[in-house]
Amino acid sequence: MPSHRLDPIDRKILSELQADGRMTNVELARRVGISAPPCLRRVRTLEEQGFIRGYHAEVDPRELGFEVQVFAMVGLQSQAEADLRAFEDRCRSWPLVRECHMLNGEVDFILKCVAPDLSTFQTFLTGELLTSPNVGSVKTSLVIRGAKDEPGVPFDILEERLTEAG
Amino acid sequence: MPSHRLDPIDRKILSELQADGRMTNVELARRVGISAPPCLRRVRTLEEQGFIRGYHAEVDPRELGFEVQVFAMVGLQSQAEADLRAFEDRCRSWPLVRECHMLNGEVDFILKCVAPDLSTFQTFLTGELLTSPNVGSVKTSLVIRGAKDEPGVPFDILEERLTEAG
DNA sequence: CGCATTATTGAAATAATATTGCGTATGCGC
DNA sequence: GCGCATACGCAATATTATTTCAATAATGCG
């Protein structure tokens, strides 16, 4: 059990599972260069320690009938902590809102939304988001096309930095 | 093999695997109410037909030393198709850039970036992004805190619409 | 250093799961 | 109703996950 600092094998495991989360443990063990039992133990430990939060199938939104993706920049009227929390809670309750991040600068939040079509999004926008208490300004931008959509973090960067540092 | 339209069982499969991509096929079969063999056949078909693009472990960026997340709004000088493509290609080559979406409106692209620390991001920003050909304006916003980060699409919405329609 | 302690490993055995083969049911066009 | 197509589930087999355990490598301490 790596007490808190990960060794190269752990990082390789995370990197491989980020790229293919359904790889068999046998294959994973082969790739990271150890046998299956310790490999599985490492994966379990990484899960327990929170390095791995979960596993997800990546589905194709278009194929499933979600044609529309929108980024919404939201400014609130009050930035008091309680009001921020209230808005975040509301975002969590909206299925169309997949991501909600609090930002610095003029815009308070950025929301990534997914909807079957434009009218569904418009209904949500005018009926829910804009009429929500404390919401000041909302600027929306439709995604014309996606150019890159990589999950998680760049492990290659991590390796670079660690080899430099020793 | 559902020729192209998914039945309720397929949608349930996708929904379950989106929520837990490492569920065993036996458990998945139990949840969707069929036996293991046809369940596995459906999963394979969904993969082949592109409804499932892949599986990924969700890792914790903070725990792995990626403390900084930034959204960058990029405006280009030329929006000619070749220039757009060139910029997208460049984004794909930058590990720090995890997502790149082309938008309508005044901003041409939104980029989601992840970095170990602010200085790493600044180095990327000034040394790569800002000095990139055809890049006009870049406005960056640091993520203060994440409030919601759900993967994929809201299947509950899908079910609602389909039951309404019949 | 050298020994004791602790962690981690891998081979082997077992349990569970994935996968294949096949016979059967169900629906649909004729 | 008949035959084709599709999808199902049972049973058998192959593969994988998981546990057990002895051996090895790392760690700390006298």
Side-chain angles (χ1 to χ4, degrees), chain A:
Chain A
M1 164 178 40
S3 47
H4 201 240
R5 192 120 204 95
L6 302 177
D7 67 12
I9 294 181
D10 288 318
R11 291 197 296 274
K12 191 84 193 299
I13 287 174
L14 291 170
S15 172
E16 292 289 342
L17 286 180
Q18 177 176 279
D20 179 4
R22 265 213 130 167
M23 193 181 305
T24 68
N25 183 58
V26 168
E27 171 65 11
L28 181 62
R30 196 189 60 71
R31 291 198 192 191
V32 304
I34 59 179
S35 65
C39 184
L40 187 63
R41 277 191 295 266
R42 278 167 180 265
V43 171
R44 292 284 178 265
T45 302
L46 290 168
E47 289 168 354
E48 281 162 23
Q49 295 192 322
F51 290 99
I52 298 175
R53 288 185 186 158
Y55 302 88
H56 308 284
E58 179 192 354
V59 303
D60 188 319
R62 285 273 156 79
E63 289 278 323
L64 281 165
F66 291 89
E67 307 282 349
V68 170
Q69 194 165 344
V70 183
F71 283 93
M73 263 64 87
V74 178
L76 298 186
Q77 281 155 4
S78 155
Q79 281 84 19
E81 180 60 21
D83 296 319
L84 296 172
R85 296 249 179 244
F87 179 73
E88 291 175 339
D89 285 343
R90 228 163 293 125
C91 284
R92 279 189 277 269
S93 77
W94 288 322
L96 292 190
V97 176
R98 307 311 290 168
E99 299 180 25
C100 170
H101 310 272
M102 192 190 298
L103 302 180
N104 72 347
E106 51 195 303
V107 168
D108 293 310
F109 288 93
I110 187 167
L111 274 48
K112 187 200 272 185
C113 307
V114 167
D117 49 53
L118 211 45
S119 87
T120 303
F121 177 75
Q122 293 290 3
T123 302
F124 161 73
L125 179 64
T126 58
E128 299 272 3
L129 184 54
L130 283 170
T131 61
S132 221
N134 195 32
V135 166
S137 67
V138 177
K139 260 213 280 195
T140 61
S141 283
L142 211 78
V143 173
I144 306 282
R145 72 183 187 213
K148 183 175 186 177
D149 198 351
E150 295 285 321
V153 302
F155 279 98
D156 36 2
I157 291 286
L158 200 58
E159 294 304 326
E160 279 175 30
R161 308 188 104 237
L162 291 173
T163 49
E164 280 169 26

Side-chain angles (χ1 to χ4, degrees), chain B residues 26-46:
Chain B
V26 169
E27 172 65 12
L28 181 61
R30 196 191 59 72
R31 293 198 191 190
V32 305
I34 60 179
S35 64
C39 184
L40 187 63
R41 282 190 289 262
R42 279 167 179 264
V43 171
R44 294 283 178 265
T45 302
L46 290 168

Side-chain angles (χ1 to χ4, degrees), chain A residues 161, chain B residues 65-68 115-122:
Chain A
R161 308 188 104 237
Chain B
F66 291 89
E67 307 282 348
V68 170
D117 49 51
L118 211 46
S119 87
T120 302
F121 178 75
Q122 293 291 4

Side-chain angles (χ1 to χ4, degrees), chain B:
Chain B
M1 164 177 43
S3 48
H4 202 241
R5 193 120 202 96
L6 301 177
D7 67 13
I9 293 181
D10 288 318
R11 292 197 297 274
K12 192 87 194 298
I13 287 175
L14 291 170
S15 173
E16 293 289 342
L17 286 180
Q18 177 175 279
D20 180 2
R22 265 214 131 167
M23 193 181 303
T24 68
N25 183 58
V26 169
E27 172 65 12
L28 181 61
R30 196 191 59 72
R31 293 198 191 190
V32 305
I34 60 179
S35 64
C39 184
L40 187 63
R41 282 190 289 262
R42 279 167 179 264
V43 171
R44 294 283 178 265
T45 302
L46 290 168
E47 289 168 354
E48 281 162 22
Q49 295 192 321
F51 290 98
I52 298 175
R53 288 185 187 159
Y55 302 88
H56 308 284
E58 180 192 354
V59 303
D60 188 320
R62 284 273 156 80
E63 289 279 324
L64 282 164
F66 291 89
E67 307 282 348
V68 170
Q69 195 166 343
V70 183
F71 282 92
M73 263 63 88
V74 178
L76 300 185
Q77 283 155 4
S78 156
Q79 281 85 17
E81 181 59 21
D83 296 318
L84 295 172
R85 295 250 179 242
F87 179 73
E88 290 175 339
D89 285 344
R90 227 163 294 127
C91 284
R92 278 188 279 267
S93 78
W94 287 323
L96 293 189
V97 176
R98 307 311 289 168
E99 298 181 24
C100 169
H101 310 272
M102 193 190 298
L103 302 180
N104 72 346
E106 52 195 298
V107 168
D108 294 311
F109 288 93
I110 187 167
L111 274 48
K112 187 201 273 184
C113 307
V114 167
D117 49 51
L118 211 46
S119 87
T120 302
F121 178 75
Q122 293 291 4
T123 302
F124 162 73
L125 179 63
T126 58
E128 299 271 4
L129 185 53
L130 284 170
T131 61
S132 221
N134 195 33
V135 167
S137 66
V138 177
K139 259 213 280 195
T140 61
S141 283
L142 211 77
V143 173
I144 305 281
R145 73 183 186 212
K148 182 175 187 177
D149 197 352
E150 294 286 322
V153 301
F155 279 98
D156 37 0
I157 292 286
L158 200 58
E159 294 304 325
E160 279 176 29
R161 308 189 102 237
L162 291 172
T163 49
E164 281 168 25

